Amino acid sequence: VELIKQGYEPIVVDNLSNSKIEMLEQIFKITGKRVKFYQIDLLEKNELEKVFLENENIEDVIHFAGSKAVGESCVKPLMYYENNIMSTINLLNIMIKHKVKNIIFSSSATVYGTPKRVPIFEEDPIGGTTNPYGTTKLIIEGILQDVYKVHPEMNIAILRYFNPIGANETGLIGEAPNGIPNNLMPYITQVAVGQRECLSVFGNDYDTPDGTGVRDYIHVVDLALGHIASIKKLHENSGLVVYNLGTGKGTSVLDLVFAFEKANNVKVNYKIVDRRQGDIATCYADCSKAKKELSWTAKRDIVDACRDSWKWQQYYTKNNTK
């Protein structure tokens, strides 16, 4: 949606494993534009190449296809390694073959492992990841570094996301994960709407102000705008660049629950349960590099994200899109 608003012509490639074809219609409702769409799994290299053969004017690739649940990755590590890493290798091989030199990769704050300090800066050490999902991001970052050494003509932006939440402000597009949500905000909204009985808060004995995990929750629209700022950077022949995308503020799980209740005047039932494997206590970003080099900062706060998520959840529940 944000790309279309700024005059770009996006082509969407998705295997629909955790997304819904109806979203293309929602994009049209918001923007008035139809998006070219391919239902392809990036592991199918020949199918993926058709996209580049049929669209010879592709200039930029934003790669955020991948499995992304910390808990699931601890149970199904091989699935995560195959899906996330092989899909990236296929994509890079095809890009190089077709001389498409600009790529933005969705990395994650998980590459920092248990951070030595907060806020976290891009030059802080990476590694020591605490779960297979994070390790796939770390490995892919390494692959991109190695590819850049051999193909210095490429422009690569590695964006280390912190914790995206929220929805488009229209409430027409948002997060509707298949099965039980692995992320906090959709779980909160599903409890609030009565779809689930109770939110499980994983641990209240961390070394944080209220004992629950502290994260940097960034509104998904701000995150999208960070990608557009990064595209503009790549077109300056940036080479390989790395940016944290977050707000620079830490918010605990319970802070987010209470902010949601207050913003939307609804109750969210929750209970404290044991810590979850692979989680760390505190993680939030220093975003001064993105501000300086991309002229980008997060403009929306957690209250905005709570309102937009709730608007989306109500719309989705009412229309019950299958």
Side-chain angles (χ1 to χ4, degrees), residues 165 217 219 222 247 299-307:
I165 59 171
Y217 294 101
H219 196 296
D222 281 330
T247 64
K299 301 282 197 303
R300 296 155 184 83
D301 61 19
I302 60 167
V303 175
D304 298 319
C306 288
R307 283 200 203 103

Side-chain angles (χ1 to χ4, degrees), residues 136-265:
T136 67
K137 295 295 187 184
L138 185 69
I139 291 169
I140 294 166
E141 284 201 18
I143 290 169
L144 290 167
Q145 298 271 2
D146 288 340
V147 167
Y148 180 64
K149 286 173 192 165
V150 182
H151 294 279
E153 75 279 4
M154 290 192 78
N155 299 302
I156 300 169
I158 294 171
L159 304 183
R160 292 175 183 157
Y161 299 3
F162 279 67
N163 292 71
I165 59 171
N168 185 272
E169 61 270 15
T170 61
L172 293 173
I173 290 180
E175 207 171 353
N178 294 331
I180 298 169
N182 285 296
N183 295 99
L184 179 58
M185 185 58 92
Y187 214 112
I188 289 173
T189 63
Q190 288 185 15
V191 171
V193 86
Q195 190 177 333
R196 298 192 183 277
E197 193 176 323
C198 188
L199 169 72
S200 293
V201 176
F202 296 105
N204 67 344
D205 57 350
Y206 287 104
D207 184 16
T208 62
D210 63 16
T212 64
V214 168
R215 298 290 182 270
D216 188 337
Y217 294 101
I218 175 173
H219 196 296
V220 68
V221 174
D222 281 330
L223 188 67
L225 293 169
H227 289 71
I228 292 171
S230 299
I231 288 175
K232 291 170 181 170
K233 181 72 176 175
L234 294 182
H235 283 258
E236 298 169 6
N237 289 321
S238 65
L240 190 146
V241 288
V242 180
Y243 300 105
N244 288 336
L245 294 187
T247 64
K249 299 187 187 78
T251 301
S252 77
V253 174
L254 289 182
D255 283 339
L256 191 62
V257 170
F258 299 150
F260 186 91
E261 290 182 329
K262 187 174 178 185
N264 300 308
N265 197 25

Side-chain angles (χ1 to χ4, degrees), residues 13 62 132 174:
V13 178
I62 300 175

Side-chain angles (χ1 to χ4, degrees), residues 274-308:
D274 289 343
R275 291 184 183 193
R276 185 172 56 178
Q277 184 186 354
D279 279 345
I280 60 173
T282 303
C283 181
Y284 61 94
D286 180 279
C287 303
S288 53
K289 186 180 177 188
K291 183 178 182 180
K292 181 183 175 188
E293 296 187 15
L294 303 178
S295 302
W296 173 90
T297 52
K299 301 282 197 303
R300 296 155 184 83
D301 61 19
I302 60 167
V303 175
D304 298 319
C306 288
R307 283 200 203 103
D308 293 340

Side-chain angles (χ1 to χ4, degrees), residues 296-321:
W296 173 90
T297 52
K299 301 282 197 303
R300 296 155 184 83
D301 61 19
I302 60 167
V303 175
D304 298 319
C306 288
R307 283 200 203 103
D308 293 340
S309 291
W310 183 229
K311 190 187 289 185
W312 153 251
Q313 184 67 61
Q314 289 174 299
Y315 170 86
Y316 182 77
T317 303
K318 183 181 171 187
N319 291 274
N320 197 26
T321 311

